Amino acid sequence: MGRYVVRRLLQFIPTVLGTLFLLHYLTSVAIQFGGNPVRSLFGDRTPPPEQLRQMTEQFGLGDPCLTRKGDWCIELFGQRLQNIFLHFDFGQSLSPRRDVTAVLADALPYTIKLTLIAFVVEAIIGLSAGTLAGLRNGKFSDYVVRIATVLMISVPIFVSAVLAQKFIGVKFGNWLRTDLGAPDWLGRGLFGAAYKPEYPFISLILPGIVLGTLTIASTARLTRSSLLENLRADYVRTAKAKGLKSTRVVGVHTLRNSLIPVVTTLGLSIGAYMSGAVVTEGVFRVPGVGFTIFRAIGQGEPMVLLGITTVLVLIYLVLNLLVDLLYAVLDPRIRYE
Amino acid sequence: MASTTEIQTRLDPSIPGTDPHAALLAVEDLRVEFRTRIGVAKAINGVSFEVNSGETLAILGESGCGKSVTAQAIMGIIDSPPGFVTGGRIKYRGVDLLKRSKEERRQIRGNKIAMIFQDALSALNPVFTVSFQLTELFRKHRGMTRADGKKRAIELLDLVKIPAARQRVNDFPHQFSGGMRQRVMIAMSLALDPELLIADEPTTALDVTVQAQIMALLRDLQRERNMGLILITHDMGVVADVADRINVMYAGRIVEKAPVYDIYAKPSHPYTKALLESIPRVDLKGQQLNVIKGLPPSLVRIPAGCAFSPRCRFVQDVCKADPPPPLYDVKPGITSACHFWEEVRGDE
Amino acid sequence: MSDLTTAVTTAEPPPSTQAGPGSERSASLWADAGRELIRNPVFVVSSLYILVMASFAVVPKLWTQQDPQACNLNNSMLPMFTPGHWAGASQRGCDYWSHAVYGASPSLRIALLATLGIILIGMPLGILAGFYGGWVDAVISRLIDIVFALPFLLGALVILAMLRKYSIWTITLVLVVLGWTTLARIMRASVISAKSLDYVQAAKSLGASNSRLMFRHILPNAIAPVFVVATIALGGFVATEATLTFLGVGLQLPSVSWGLMISTHDDFIELAPHLTLVPVTLLVGTVLSFILIGDALRDALDPKLR
């Protein structure tokens, strides 16, 4: 197991560097071909060149390599790496002038809460639906689950977020409040249209569920197919031949094997949540990381965008590493490769 | 089996009504079919045989002839659907198992009748240690504690001659070599002192030298315990050393039954004869290899009359008409399902 | 059950499940799959839907005589079933049905171009990695890991936000650059398992050259998953483009696209729900159809399910 851990760590480092470089390169090319993003802050007016130059410097976009199309901007990359790993500096926002790390520190707790709710929803519903469908293969409940999951996958998250907000949040919430006289926490909190600071947890439940629907479908499908595959495996026949009860055969022998691929894709869900959070927080106005990204696009704060994305990429890579190690814990065959 | 640990028997799994004088296992006119998308496959069509304690019966035949299904039917682990037992009796010491409840059959499985499979790598659960998989037998069938179960597990590994049993018991199946894994499976099957052991192609996935070791191990263990052993295989070479009697199966029926020497010396059925002739021989260099032309029939469309008739060189018109040939008595202990067994025996 | 499967499938003249040289086996696999698909009602309905959507994109005049740009503020927010404007009118007074029809084109074009793109990049890389193994595989797999580590939507967001040029081509390019990895991985895995098939080994020992092995023997068998992934990718790209548009980094006004229809009218859901629900239905229907087709393809091409 130790050798496996070491090997994974050694693979981890070049991957981190590679991905950070990819992000750097793609955004640099975007600036090279798209023009100075600072320029767009001025809208239709033409700023005096000196002011433009100063602002560009302040944004950290002053490096001349950004004007040469196709330039790899290696020096800039080196500079950015140093900032990140030596000074923990991911850039600054311009108005107000703050470190990206400070902005993130404010926003992260909301997103973490939201993601946790989504994760719990996904795990509970996804795993049970998938197990149910797998055990009752071919029967009615199997079809129901399969249809439901296909529908869930087909509805883009912004559609479900908007629909959930308008119909459940606004219409249903209003109806509860005005027509039924329901308590405020129910009408405005739980079934509200947006995040309310006076109900910090409850008003996150609806957006959390919406975010969770993103991955419920794939978790359920994966659990189902993994279970089906394992139910037909040879070792199941052996377990039956040993005279073990069928509850034990399925519950102990099959389940453990079936869960392995599922657990590891739960790790991949994190990437989906990061993307989905942008939409969900945007629609429900949750002041988290996703909303910050949302606003940074609208306000034209390229460095904030780049800084936050860098942090998220690092988090994603670390989490994936942990998931890989977890996989080795669960599946002994991997440890000795 | 000598043991320093006291065995606490939670329940005595012997079924009421067993007759100690009856044969250990008697299969009578067993019929099994599989209902598939393309039709009903008659996997077993009236198979009857007996096995007694201390005896080794080999069931010989090509892939698809129904020999594994027979074993699964005896154990009661046929996937149902699509498989169904549609007739016959499987008598364990006189008691028809097919008429017993699922729970009663489950208690016999692993306990009184045990089975080992062909590919130990896929037959053992890859995510649990050998210790876990052995100990669970003791815990679930005998109510032993984990610690006691583990002690017994180590003893079992010693029994099947796995070196360093105490350390290796904590290993996972993929950490053993092929031969060692098969020994682990054998150990698992013997854990609860079964009276009958069914070995389904136990050596097919192994090297020739390891094959010999495993077969020798099985033979020794059987003798020590006076177990009945049913050996299922398609390999005639493996059978010669270990079996007392052989049943040859084709398309879901038994076509010849004979003691092992008689089968090799003078086969009584064209199929058996063809099988023997197709074994490559070192002393017949330069000659063409004999093959049995044609393919075994699809079990969904078994031909009328004798199922082997399309490929048989002794075939006559009567062979192609129903009813299929019964098992004729050739000599005491030898039967053959061929109308022309005399000709077959006389042919050189 | 292997006993039984061999028994049931033998004794028919060259069964399609038996392994054989490249094109023979693959021809019968596709023929079988085709027959099975035609008989699958889900497949047929979904395909018809996609054909209708495609005709929206290619021959819009067949479906509507109105000009989507002929907007009259007097007609703002007309409800459904108003004579002359059967789907009502948008906030700016444009005929909504013509928007629905013309809106299909950018979404489908981007999805199609992006899918072709990921096939052009992902397939060769996957084949090379799977076939040659060794350091070729190591380099390509590492590249895949790196690109894969960038969360898809997030990356697309950032790049498009920096680029600030929103056209069909830029969006397609970004989708391709970030999205080719899944296809490459699947292709690689497929080639690796095809490589170890017995008859490929046999061809190799008979002296077949590498390119012959690749094209005649391995490719026909390894290529089936690509179709499945490509179909599902089509649906995924339609959804992603709509999401990017909703977030403001996709197509922009005055283009006509379903995503824009949704994002510009979601504030009016209570007043005029049809303005959101019409494009939502079309969008979800399209994505759903692609996914169902992909699923049906996968089931039809899976030899294990025979």
Side-chain angles (χ1 to χ4, degrees):
Chain A
M1 178 79 181
R3 281 184 58 194
Y4 178 76
V5 174
V6 169
R7 233 172 353 116
R8 274 305 279 117
L9 283 174
L10 285 179
Q11 285 175 344
F12 178 65
I13 297 171
T15 311
V16 170
L17 289 174
T19 313
L20 287 179
F21 181 73
L22 183 72
L23 185 60
H24 156 83
Y25 179 64
L26 288 175
T27 46
S28 302
V29 167
I31 293 179
Q32 285 161 1
F33 281 89
N36 191 346
V38 180
R39 181 75 187 68
S40 66
L41 285 176
F42 294 90
D44 288 330
R45 305 187 311 254
T46 319
E50 184 54 30
Q51 186 183 20
L52 183 62
R53 198 193 58 77
Q54 264 191 358
M55 284 193 79
T56 310
E57 280 293 338
Q58 282 183 336
F59 265 111
L61 294 171
D63 194 317
C65 82
L66 288 173
T67 52
R68 297 189 285 264
K69 300 199 172 160
D71 194 323
W72 294 78
C73 290
I74 306 275
E75 273 183 30
L76 184 57
F77 181 57
Q79 182 66 40
R80 282 183 178 157
L81 278 185
Q82 274 185 35
N83 286 345
I84 293 174
F85 291 109
L86 295 179
H87 308 295
F88 240 49
D89 171 17
F90 288 89
Q92 281 82 34
S93 70
L94 206 59
S95 54
R97 191 138 178 82
R98 297 181 69 198
D99 273 344
V100 167
T101 33
V103 173
L104 265 179
D106 283 345
L108 210 51
Y110 297 99
T111 307
I112 291 182
K113 273 188 241 168
L114 190 68
T115 314
L116 275 176
I117 297 178
F119 192 74
V120 165
V121 165
E122 172 207 353
I124 295 182
I125 301 186
L127 286 175
S128 5
T131 312
L132 181 70
L135 288 177
R136 302 227 186 293
N137 183 30
K139 303 208 184 84
F140 183 63
S141 33
D142 183 20
Y143 280 114
V144 167
V145 170
R146 283 164 75 184
I147 294 176
T149 51
V150 165
L151 274 174
M152 270 196 235
I153 297 179
S154 313
V155 177
I157 184 158
F158 74 93
V159 170
S160 39
V162 165
L163 290 178
Q165 182 193 45
K166 302 294 182 190
F167 286 107
I168 302 181
V170 176
K171 276 207 150 138
F172 188 63
N174 276 343
W175 177 75
L176 276 182
R177 237 181 325 133
T178 49
D179 291 353
L180 238 55
D184 201 48
W185 66 266
L186 198 61
R188 279 182 69 230
L190 185 58
F191 291 104
Y195 170 74
K196 309 263 183 329
E198 53 267 32
Y199 301 111
F201 189 73
I202 301 182
S203 61
L204 282 180
I205 291 186
L206 186 58
I209 294 179
V210 169
L211 187 59
T213 58
L214 197 58
T215 45
I216 285 182
S218 48
T219 304
R221 292 180 119 204
L222 186 62
T223 309
R224 175 183 174 274
S225 60
S226 179
L227 197 62
L228 282 180
E229 196 180 296
N230 278 289
L231 283 173
R232 289 192 295 214
D234 281 348
Y235 63 82
V236 170
R237 215 180 30 183
T238 310
K240 284 192 203 161
K242 281 157 75 171
L244 298 172
K245 289 201 193 139
S246 52
T247 43
R248 188 177 170 86
V249 172
V250 172
V252 173
H253 285 257
T254 314
L255 204 62
R256 178 81 187 269
N257 278 279
S258 311
L259 282 182
I260 293 176
V262 177
V263 163
T264 53
T265 47
L266 286 180
L268 289 180
S269 302
I270 299 161
Y273 286 149
M274 285 186 188
S275 311
V278 177
V279 174
T280 317
E281 289 181 6
V283 169
F284 284 92
R285 301 223 148 355
V286 178
V289 176
F291 190 63
T292 316
I293 295 181
F294 200 57
R295 252 194 349 212
I297 298 176
Q299 292 176 341
E301 293 251 26
M303 290 320 285
V304 173
L305 213 49
L306 187 56
I308 296 185
T309 311
T310 311
V311 172
L312 290 179
V313 165
L314 285 172
I315 294 180
Y316 182 63
L317 285 169
V318 168
L319 282 173
N320 262 315
L321 178 69
L322 291 175
V323 167
D324 273 352
L325 295 178
L326 179 64
Y327 188 27
V329 166
L330 288 177
D331 188 346
R333 287 170 290 187
I334 299 295
R335 290 181 222 167
Y336 301 96
E337 264 177 17
Chain B
M1 189 169 95
S3 158
T4 52
T5 336
E6 247 183 357
I7 304 169
Q8 293 149 306
T9 312
R10 187 169 58 175
L11 37 75
D12 183 344
S14 52
I15 296 186
T18 54
D19 174 6
H21 299 292
L24 177 59
L25 184 77
V27 173
E28 292 168 14
D29 197 35
L30 183 64
R31 289 168 196 281
V32 175
E33 57 184 42
F34 284 84
R35 301 180 191 154
T36 70
R37 261 194 304 187
I38 53 179
V40 175
K42 293 198 177 353
I44 301 183
N45 298 308
V47 158
S48 310
F49 61 87
E50 268 188 20
V51 184
N52 285 301
S53 302
E55 268 200 306
T56 303
L57 171 70
I59 302 186
L60 197 64
E62 289 169 282
S63 304
C65 70
K67 44 194 208 299
S68 286
V69 179
T70 310
Q72 288 171 14
I74 298 172
M75 294 292 285
I77 57 174
I78 296 184
D79 283 329
S80 181
F84 297 93
V85 176
T86 51
R89 292 160 293 284
I90 299 179
K91 288 189 182 162
Y92 165 69
R93 291 207 184 284
V95 176
D96 186 4
L97 295 177
L98 293 173
K99 293 206 171 44
R100 293 298 175 168
S101 70
K102 278 205 178 124
E103 178 62 18
E104 285 181 297
R105 293 203 73 177
R106 181 188 74 77
Q107 295 196 354
I108 295 196
R109 254 181 261 147
N111 235 324
K112 293 294 185 187
I113 310 181
M115 188 158 166
I116 60 179
F117 297 92
Q118 174 178 337
D119 181 7
L121 183 58
S122 55
L124 292 169
N125 197 324
V127 300
F128 293 124
T129 59
V130 164
S131 166
F132 178 92
Q133 299 188 54
L134 284 171
T135 316
E136 99 182 303
L137 280 162
F138 294 112
R139 284 167 48 219
K140 294 296 162 187
H141 277 283
R142 294 270 192 272
M144 291 171 87
T145 62
R146 219 172 279 241
D148 285 337
K150 187 156 178 172
K151 264 191 231 157
R152 292 293 299 276
I154 298 177
E155 284 168 9
L156 277 172
L157 290 184
D158 274 333
L159 183 72
V160 293
K161 310 212 178 44
I162 292 184
R166 193 166 295 266
Q167 287 79 31
R168 302 228 65 186
V169 77
N170 292 317
D171 282 345
F172 292 93
H174 65 274
Q175 291 175 268
F176 290 81
S177 71
M180 289 289 155
R181 263 198 299 271
Q182 198 57 289
R183 290 171 192 265
V184 169
M185 263 233 288
I186 294 175
M188 211 160 68
S189 66
L190 298 177
L192 302 172
D193 289 320
E195 295 183 318
L196 176 68
L197 178 64
I198 307 178
D200 189 353
E201 310 249 22
T203 56
T204 307
L206 303 172
D207 299 333
V208 177
T209 44
V210 180
Q211 272 185 19
Q213 291 171 4
I214 297 291
M215 292 312 301
L217 177 67
L218 275 176
R219 196 185 47 215
D220 293 339
L221 290 168
Q222 182 212 12
R223 267 197 220 129
E224 274 172 45
R225 294 146 175 266
N226 202 36
M227 272 187 327
L229 176 62
I230 299 182
L231 183 61
I232 298 179
T233 180
H234 63 274
D235 185 345
M236 301 203 79
V238 159
V239 160
D241 237 0
V242 187
D244 298 315
R245 289 182 291 121
I246 299 185
N247 288 352
V248 181
M249 270 187 86
Y250 187 80
R253 289 206 182 90
I254 299 183
V255 296
E256 181 170 351
K257 294 185 192 176
V260 60
Y261 291 125
D262 294 90
I263 282 250
Y264 285 95
K266 207 187 267 288
S268 311
H269 191 278
Y271 179 56
T272 319
K273 197 169 169 67
L275 278 178
L276 285 167
E277 281 169 2
S278 67
I279 297 176
R281 287 176 52 171
V282 179
D283 58 340
L284 296 179
K285 266 161 67 165
Q287 297 187 352
Q288 269 205 329
L289 288 176
N290 284 319
V291 294
I292 312 179
K293 64 180 185 349
L295 290 167
S298 157
L299 292 176
V300 183
R301 261 187 290 281
I302 299 179
C306 172
F308 188 64
S309 51
R311 309 165 79 186
C312 178
R313 72 175 159 144
F314 296 90
V315 64
Q316 306 287 337
D317 283 333
V318 62
C319 302
K320 302 189 204 161
D322 269 331
L327 278 167
Y328 293 102
D329 286 316
V330 172
K331 274 167 80 168
I334 303 183
T335 53
S336 165
C338 178
H339 298 304
F340 303 102
W341 59 263
E342 284 192 53
E343 215 185 302
V344 176
R345 284 177 69 87
D347 184 80
E348 267 314 307
Chain C
M1 281 280 269
S2 58
D3 236 2
L4 175 71
T5 340
T6 38
V8 164
T9 54
T10 49
E12 313 289 0
S16 53
T17 48
Q18 267 185 8
S23 49
E24 263 180 44
R25 175 168 185 251
S26 52
S28 50
L29 181 65
W30 286 104
D32 282 345
R35 258 178 281 132
E36 186 172 316
L37 284 173
I38 302 275
R39 275 184 268 159
N40 182 345
V42 170
F43 177 79
V44 171
V45 170
S46 307
S47 309
L48 282 174
Y49 185 89
I50 297 293
L51 283 172
V52 169
M53 292 298 117
S55 70
F56 273 24
V58 172
V59 283
K61 294 239 192 316
L62 194 62
W63 296 93
T64 177
Q65 265 68 53
Q66 307 248 13
D67 177 6
Q69 307 289 356
C71 307
N72 185 344
L73 275 171
N74 290 336
N75 288 337
S76 177
M77 316 262 279
L78 281 176
M80 277 187 87
F81 306 120
T82 316
H85 300 283
W86 294 109
S90 75
Q91 190 221 3
R92 286 165 166 226
C94 318
D95 172 56
Y96 221 50
W97 178 244
S98 63
H99 270 230
V101 171
Y102 280 87
S105 171
S107 305
L108 289 179
R109 274 167 65 190
I110 291 180
L112 191 62
L113 288 171
T115 306
L116 283 174
I118 64 171
I119 292 181
L120 278 173
I121 297 187
M123 218 172 93
L125 284 179
I127 295 179
L128 288 174
F131 187 75
Y132 286 108
W135 66 265
V136 173
D137 184 11
V139 166
I140 296 183
S141 292
R142 188 43 31 94
L143 186 62
I144 293 179
D145 285 342
I146 289 176
V147 177
F148 193 74
L150 203 52
F152 186 60
L153 198 70
L154 212 51
L157 251 179
V158 176
I159 298 170
L160 283 168
M162 296 277 202
L163 190 56
R164 289 170 303 116
K165 285 197 188 355
Y166 310 107
S167 73
I168 290 192
W169 291 103
T170 55
I171 298 176
T172 305
L173 194 62
V174 171
L175 290 177
V176 170
V177 164
L178 293 177
W180 59 271
T181 51
T182 314
L183 194 80
R185 272 205 176 141
I186 296 207
M187 193 73 224
R188 172 183 174 273
S190 196
V191 167
I192 288 180
S193 61
K195 219 174 39 165
S196 62
L197 285 173
D198 282 342
Y199 72 86
V200 172
Q201 304 281 3
K204 195 165 167 182
S205 58
L206 285 173
S209 71
N210 272 349
S211 55
R212 186 176 168 81
L213 275 175
M214 239 200 287
F215 287 106
R216 277 271 297 159
H217 295 277
I218 295 183
L219 207 52
N221 288 289
I223 206 169
V226 170
F227 284 87
V228 178
V229 173
T231 318
I232 298 186
L234 279 168
F237 283 138
V238 170
T240 309
E241 178 271 316
T243 311
L244 290 173
T245 305
F246 178 81
L247 291 172
V249 292
L251 298 163
Q252 309 285 333
L253 293 168
S255 301
V256 183
S257 101
W258 292 332
L260 277 173
M261 288 164 79
I262 300 175
S263 64
T264 47
H265 293 106
D266 68 345
D267 289 325
F268 308 114
I269 276 197
E270 296 163 71
L271 288 170
H274 66 283
L275 293 179
T276 315
L277 291 177
V278 166
V280 160
T281 314
L282 290 172
L283 180 68
V284 170
T286 310
V287 177
L288 184 63
S289 300
F290 277 125
I291 293 183
L292 288 175
I293 294 178
D295 267 359
L297 257 179
R298 190 203 302 122
D299 286 343
L301 289 173
D302 184 354
K304 279 184 281 178
L305 290 185
R306 308 211 143 275

